[in-house]
Amino acid sequence: ILALASGILAGPGGAAERDPLPSWNDGAAKAAIIAFVARVTTEGGADFVPTDQRIATFDNDGTLWAEQPGYVQAAFLMDRLKDMAPQHPEWRTEQPYKAALEGDQKAVAAGGMRAIDSLVMATHAGMTSEEFAEAVRSWITTARHPRFDRPYTDLAYQPMIELVTYLKDQRFKVYIVSGGGVEFMRPWTEAIYGIPPEQVVGSSIKLRYELTGDSPALRRLPEIDFIDDGPGKPVGIAKAIGRRPIFAAGNSDGDLQMLQWTTLAPGPRFALLVHHTDAEREWAYDRNSAVGKLDKALDEAPGRGWLVVNMKADWKTVFPFQR
Amino acid sequence: ILALASGILAGPGGAAERDPLPSWNDGAAKAAIIAFVARVTTEGGADFVPTDQRIATFDNDGTLWAEQPGYVQAAFLMDRLKDMAPQHPEWRTEQPYKAALEGDQKAVAAGGMRAIDSLVMATHAGMTSEEFAEAVRSWITTARHPRFDRPYTDLAYQPMIELVTYLKDQRFKVYIVSGGGVEFMRPWTEAIYGIPPEQVVGSSIKLRYELTGDSPALRRLPEIDFIDDGPGKPVGIAKAIGRRPIFAAGNSDGDLQMLQWTTLAPGPRFALLVHHTDAEREWAYDRNSAVGKLDKALDEAPGRGWLVVNMKADWKTVFPFQR
Ligand SMILES: [Ca+2]
Ligand SMILES: [Ca+2]
């Protein structure tokens, strides 16, 4: 019955008859991914993995969608700051608000983590979770990427969307595990990637339950709850999933520990790094980038057997609109 | 295709032809549950709920399994304390360990939350997550309930197992949302209830990622991360699921806010409280119980339209072994 249901769910033709990764160039990267998936899904094979243990975790910024010239959530933050400024005349003189509103990134940076924290809390806390989700939904449908002049959601990587879909078709449970805010991502991950809210793990601020009359709400408090980045990623995975992934994808040193946690264990395991090598279609950056710095993880990849995806060489298409 | 797959997954005969809740006596409680499920799963009906929004959350202690004469996790704690005592000669004189080891609950209680915290951390922190899971697995297969002289896992409620299975068959995603420790529950919830680790939400202590040579591990630290109880339950649901349930089940005031959060919103919604009224087959307790106190939620239930399940009258069987 399960095999039959699986066959039905895989759709007409079945996975074997069509190319599951048409936006990947034929080559070692694509072949390695397909070979791994075949290994763990072949019933009776030595490396067969039962469906409930097929957990895959994907970083978001720079792995599933573009993170240049800056994180999308930072653009959201800046737009909110500008929207809110008329109600906060004190921001005209107070730092770090003044610097941020004037686009003086150097002055903001001089304020360190404390300045960033102030800007995050001013724009991301105080409202209810539902109000925040509504603000995100409204912003993401109207904001446009500075280079491509398109909605940010158009900047998802076509090859990675295909990879997520391929894994889902092969009965993997696919999660996002991102340093980004979990309540910033959940309103749109299902529409772009087919990943539902309950499979999104991210950073968070504290929430407080409130009941006003007969109206319950969750209030977003100006206090960090959890940072899902670097060594926080395996912790976030343990908290939210409680299983160890067998497949992980990232693009920066913030994914180093997630890739270690995924691969340094018995049984078949796979990890990949998206290496941004395509200045023309996307961006080229790694060891010296302020956003998405890829240095230690790039050094560790060969010894650990992690696949380094060369965006320029391995991807036929980068963004869906470039097809 | 989906309807076909759903029919296949529902098993031979289909849900309509057999009683999905055979251990529930025919009556208003059983009828109310079945009527609600029919309402939200009837395609084309006014109250149809798409499958991805069919989120159900169940408290564990006293809702899915017995919590008398004390929480199962407290029995685990005491057994671990005794096991560890030979390595801790200082516990013979130090409080609260001395009192706990001597079974002097009054002296432990006199130490307040701080004493409880010390006992929890001494027995639940310091090891890795995998070591802790192994300790739980080992304990739960050997420990026996003091009254029934059976494994604690035999003390799951047969009618509630049927309810979880029924909701799953009707394509609900069923979560445990418990004040108990998430890493205490995950090793056994799938075997008893059919609820996988990633659908278990609970209280937690902080974890730290460690890499020793090529061996990564998550270390359990002696510091509370999150208390998933009372007003923490809607917060835990938001953190882990990011969707609002449409169905919730609890048994105590610790579930009050989860039931409010689930039902005080538009659309079809359902909540139930298991009322422990059966001193013979299980226990009878509510407003004055030290464990599983049910007072405010019992008062609120009629006005909110929450179903109060009368264990004695509504359940044909309580435990599977009583069939
Ligand atoms: Ca990234
Ligand atoms: Ca309970």
Side-chain angles (χ1 to χ4, degrees):
Chain A
I1 284 169
L2 280 180
L4 175 60
S6 162
I8 289 168
L9 295 172
E17 293 175 30
R18 55 188 168 86
D19 182 352
L21 301 173
S23 297
W24 292 69
N25 286 317
D26 290 324
K30 178 173 177 171
I33 294 169
I34 291 175
F36 174 79
V37 172
R39 264 172 73 204
V40 299
T41 58
T42 301
E43 278 189 72
D47 287 336
F48 178 74
V49 175
T51 53
D52 67 338
Q53 289 161 44
R54 293 183 201 161
I55 303 291
T57 54
F58 282 72
D59 168 60
N60 184 46
D61 298 304
T63 298
L64 290 176
W65 75 353
E67 62 183 349
Q68 299 288 0
Y71 294 123
V72 178
Q73 194 169 356
F76 168 74
L77 183 157
M78 275 309 306
D79 284 351
R80 266 188 81 74
L81 206 69
K82 286 175 205 154
D83 281 355
M84 294 169 74
Q87 280 80 55
H88 292 271
E90 73 279 12
W91 289 355
R92 272 180 250 148
T93 50
E94 258 179 42
Q95 294 296 12
Y97 313 101
K98 179 174 184 290
L101 288 168
E102 288 169 354
D104 185 351
Q105 293 186 17
K106 215 166 158 181
V108 173
M113 279 312 296
R114 200 158 157 177
I116 304 289
D117 191 65
S118 298
L119 297 175
V120 168
M121 294 313 171
T123 51
H124 285 63
M127 71 294 285
T128 70
S129 280
E130 287 179 1
E131 287 163 355
F132 183 73
E134 196 43 50
V136 171
R137 259 181 233 114
S138 162
W139 180 83
I140 204 120
T141 52
T142 52
R144 296 180 82 85
H145 188 277
R147 173 173 161 191
F148 292 97
D149 192 25
R150 291 175 162 271
Y152 286 96
T153 48
D154 284 6
L155 281 285
Y157 303 129
Q158 178 63 26
M160 297 303 281
I161 295 174
E162 290 169 7
L163 177 53
V164 167
T165 305
Y166 176 42
L167 292 174
K168 285 175 63 182
D169 285 348
Q170 298 299 316
R171 306 191 69 195
F172 279 73
K173 202 162 187 174
V174 178
Y175 287 82
I176 289 174
V177 177
S178 167
V182 67
E183 295 199 327
F184 175 73
M185 295 183 283
R186 281 175 169 160
W188 45 263
T189 56
E190 180 130 45
I192 310 180
Y193 310 129
I195 297 177
E198 63 269 30
Q199 284 160 231
V200 179
V201 180
S203 297
S204 53
I205 60 177
K206 288 200 195 278
L207 302 174
R208 183 180 62 215
Y209 177 78
E210 295 177 349
L211 183 68
T212 313
D214 283 346
S215 289
L218 295 167
R219 180 74 51 191
R220 289 172 56 86
L221 305 181
E223 191 185 343
I224 291 292
D225 176 48
F226 180 65
I227 299 293
D228 189 55
D229 196 32
K233 288 203 176 190
V235 172
I237 289 168
K239 282 157 65 105
I241 310 176
R243 301 190 197 256
R244 201 153 170 175
I246 65 164
F247 187 109
N251 79 303
S252 82
D253 286 356
D255 301 308
L256 178 62
Q257 290 85 356
M258 176 168 77
L259 269 54
Q260 292 169 345
W261 178 241
T262 300
T263 58
L264 295 176
R269 281 149 191 294
F270 193 93
L272 71 80
L273 285 166
V274 173
H275 191 190
H276 292 263
T277 52
D278 194 332
E280 199 180 319
R281 293 184 300 175
E282 206 244 7
W283 283 269
Y285 60 98
D286 47 36
R287 297 185 193 274
N288 300 310
S289 180
V291 166
K293 178 175 174 171
L294 174 64
D295 184 40
K296 284 185 197 167
L298 196 57
D299 289 339
E300 253 185 55
R304 302 276 189 218
W306 300 339
L307 172 68
V308 178
V309 173
N310 179 336
M311 185 181 280
K312 189 170 183 171
D314 292 328
W315 288 1
K316 200 175 290 174
T317 304
V318 175
F319 301 121
F321 61 83
Q322 292 171 335
R323 275 181 300 191
Chain B
I1 284 170
L2 281 180
L4 176 60
S6 163
I8 290 167
L9 295 171
E17 294 176 30
R18 56 189 168 84
D19 182 352
L21 301 173
S23 297
W24 292 69
N25 287 317
D26 290 324
K30 179 173 175 171
I33 293 169
I34 291 175
F36 174 78
V37 173
R39 263 173 73 203
V40 297
T41 59
T42 301
E43 277 188 74
D47 285 337
F48 177 75
V49 175
T51 54
D52 67 338
Q53 289 161 42
R54 293 184 200 160
I55 303 290
T57 54
F58 282 73
D59 169 60
N60 183 46
D61 298 304
T63 298
L64 290 177
W65 76 353
E67 62 183 350
Q68 299 288 359
Y71 293 123
V72 178
Q73 194 169 356
F76 167 75
L77 183 158
M78 275 310 304
D79 284 350
R80 268 187 79 75
L81 205 69
K82 286 176 204 153
D83 281 354
M84 294 169 74
Q87 281 79 55
H88 292 272
E90 74 278 13
W91 290 355
R92 272 180 251 147
T93 50
E94 258 179 42
Q95 295 295 13
Y97 313 101
K98 180 174 182 290
L101 288 168
E102 290 170 352
D104 185 350
Q105 292 185 17
K106 214 166 159 182
V108 173
M113 279 312 296
R114 199 158 158 174
I116 304 290
D117 191 64
S118 298
L119 297 174
V120 169
M121 294 312 172
T123 51
H124 286 62
M127 71 296 283
T128 70
S129 280
E130 287 180 1
E131 287 162 355
F132 183 73
E134 194 43 50
V136 171
R137 259 181 232 112
S138 163
W139 181 82
I140 204 122
T141 52
T142 52
R144 295 181 82 82
H145 188 278
R147 172 173 162 191
F148 292 97
D149 192 25
R150 291 176 162 271
Y152 286 97
T153 48
D154 283 8
L155 282 285
Y157 303 128
Q158 178 63 25
M160 296 304 281
I161 294 173
E162 290 169 7
L163 177 53
V164 167
T165 306
Y166 175 42
L167 291 174
K168 285 176 63 181
D169 285 348
Q170 298 299 314
R171 306 193 68 195
F172 279 73
K173 202 161 187 174
V174 178
Y175 288 81
I176 289 173
V177 177
S178 167
V182 67
E183 294 199 327
F184 175 74
M185 295 183 282
R186 281 174 169 160
W188 45 263
T189 55
E190 180 130 45
I192 310 180
Y193 310 129
I195 297 177
E198 64 269 31
Q199 284 161 230
V200 179
V201 180
S203 297
S204 54
I205 61 178
K206 287 199 193 280
L207 301 173
R208 184 179 62 214
Y209 177 78
E210 295 177 350
L211 183 68
T212 312
D214 284 345
S215 289
L218 295 168
R219 181 74 51 192
R220 290 171 57 86
L221 305 181
E223 192 185 342
I224 292 293
D225 176 47
F226 180 65
I227 300 293
D228 189 55
D229 197 31
K233 289 203 176 189
V235 172
I237 289 167
K239 282 158 67 106
I241 311 175
R243 300 189 198 257
R244 200 153 171 175
I246 65 163
F247 187 110
N251 79 302
S252 81
D253 286 356
D255 302 307
L256 177 62
Q257 290 85 356
M258 175 168 77
L259 269 53
Q260 291 170 345
W261 178 241
T262 300
T263 57
L264 295 176
R269 285 153 188 290
F270 193 94
L272 71 80
L273 286 165
V274 174
H275 191 190
H276 294 263
T277 52
D278 194 332
E280 198 180 322
R281 293 184 300 176
E282 206 243 7
W283 282 269
Y285 59 98
D286 47 38
R287 297 184 193 271
N288 300 310
S289 180
V291 165
K293 179 176 173 170
L294 174 63
D295 184 39
K296 282 186 199 168
L298 196 55
D299 288 339
E300 252 185 56
R304 302 278 188 217
W306 300 339
L307 172 68
V308 178
V309 173
N310 179 337
M311 183 181 281
K312 188 169 183 174
D314 291 327
W315 287 1
K316 200 175 290 175
T317 306
V318 175
F319 301 120
F321 61 83
Q322 292 171 335
R323 275 183 299 192

